[in-house]
Amino acid sequence: MAATDLLRSGLERFGRRDQQIARYFIDHAEEIPFLSAGEIAETLGVSGAAITRFAQRVGYEGYPHLQRVIRHDLRATLGMKQPGGRDSVVARFWASERGNLETLQDLPEATLLAFARAIARAKQVWVVGARSSYGISLLAETILSSFRPGVRAYASDLLLSRPEQLLDATPDDVVIVFTLRRYSRATTRMIRALHAQGVQVLLITDQGASPLSKIAHQSLHLPTQGTDVLASLAPFVSVCTLLASLVAQELEGGHLKQAETLNAEFAVYEY
């Protein structure tokens, strides 16, 4: 039985304080792998020892043990799934994509404009992602570079292996970070490091509980309903394209004309 199911089944037997703690674990299961006992205790207004004793009362060695079990449960449910039957894979795929794109229309225009202004005004734009999110980072770098200089994509794990690159970061910079469950530990570490140096964090993530939500200056949560096997990346592509258009508007075209002149001069394209 999953740890949260175990806690849910015992709610009626728990005392008032244990019910409060158990409900927090149930309602915030996706955040637990990234929270210390002290952080949970502070949120609930109890002592760190109360969190430890609760974990022991429900059958675990302590909070770290319960945290590990919850992390394991999440990995089992949030990883890639085995494909189902063939019959309606195509129909389900297009139905989910339509649903995602319709949901995107509910994103507040003011939030999108604030993202674009932050990107347009930054000295440097760091674009960070891991695994499939890194592919989105490369796309964002490509289209944003058409309108402004100083945009560079970084793979989280490679950036983590060369932390001296953080010396280039300034409070005048922004970092656009893409996260998708399962959230990359390398991404979390690097974005926290950039945040500590005063870099403005623009988070574009799925509808889960990203560990970076608490430190992000601005956030966009995108629908990622996909097929039986994979989450959809289409909403990320659409939002990147829209943000690039808004940045271009903010910059009144930016250096697009000069960039196109250079493309022609160096015969970058066949036609």
Side-chain angles (χ1 to χ4, degrees), residues 1 3 52 79 95 106 157 162 165 171 178 194 200-201 258 269:
M1 180 185 294
T52 299
D106 296 329
D157 53 347
R162 294 188 58 199
Q165 293 179 85
F178 297 97
L194 287 166
Q200 185 177 173
V201 178
Q258 297 95 314
Y269 301 111

Side-chain angles (χ1 to χ4, degrees), residues 25-264:
F25 276 77
I26 293 166
D27 294 341
H28 300 84
E30 292 180 5
E31 299 176 47
I32 297 302
F34 313 106
L35 298 175
S36 67
E39 288 173 319
I40 297 172
E42 183 178 356
T43 299
L44 296 177
V46 300
S47 68
I51 304 299
T52 299
R53 289 194 295 269
F54 168 78
Q56 292 170 338
R57 279 195 292 273
V58 296
Y60 299 93
E61 296 172 6
Y63 173 70
H65 183 200
L66 175 54
Q67 185 184 44
R68 286 196 303 273
V69 171
I70 290 176
R71 183 184 292 116
H72 180 271
D73 293 343
L74 288 171
R75 284 175 175 168
T77 58
L78 297 178
M80 287 188 180
K81 303 173 185 177
Q82 293 300 315
R86 290 181 169 182
D87 296 344
S88 57
V89 170
V90 173
R92 288 201 306 274
F93 176 83
W94 290 121
S96 65
E97 291 295 85
R98 284 193 297 273
N100 288 333
L101 293 174
E102 287 172 3
T103 302
L104 284 181
Q105 296 179 68
D106 296 329
L107 291 175
E109 183 174 344
T111 301
L112 292 163
L113 289 171
F115 258 71
R117 290 187 186 113
I119 295 167
R121 295 170 184 173
K123 180 179 179 181
Q124 298 181 93
V125 180
W126 302 61
V127 192
V128 176
R131 301 173 67 87
S132 59
S133 297
Y134 178 53
I136 302 299
S137 299
L138 289 171
L139 171 67
E141 176 195 55
T142 299
I143 56 179
L144 287 172
S145 294
S146 297
F147 306 109
R148 55 148 299 153
V151 180
R152 185 172 176 186
Y154 298 87
S156 304
D157 53 347
L158 293 179
L159 189 55
L160 187 62
S161 71
R162 294 188 58 199
E164 68 273 12
Q165 293 179 85
L166 295 176
L167 297 174
D168 295 334
T170 76
D172 295 323
D173 298 347
V174 301
V175 55
I176 305 170
V177 54
F178 297 97
T179 66
L180 270 166
R181 292 175 291 183
R182 299 168 289 181
Y183 305 114
S184 162
R185 182 171 294 158
T187 300
T188 300
R189 288 188 64 186
M190 294 316 301
I191 298 306
R192 284 177 173 164
L194 287 166
H195 177 267
Q197 290 187 227
V199 176
Q200 185 177 173
V201 178
L202 307 180
L203 174 65
I204 303 179
T205 187
D206 58 16
Q207 293 178 316
S210 171
L212 295 172
S213 293
K214 289 186 176 181
I215 66 168
H217 296 84
Q218 300 182 50
S219 299
L220 285 171
H221 292 265
L222 310 185
T224 56
Q225 180 63 42
T227 62
D228 292 342
V229 183
L230 296 170
S232 173
L233 298 180
F236 287 84
V237 175
S238 294
V239 165
C240 284
T241 306
L242 174 56
L243 286 174
S245 297
L246 294 173
V247 168
Q249 179 177 285
E250 286 290 319
L251 296 174
E252 297 182 347
H255 63 204
L256 179 61
K257 185 177 292 185
Q258 297 95 314
E260 288 299 295
T261 299
L262 288 171
N263 286 332

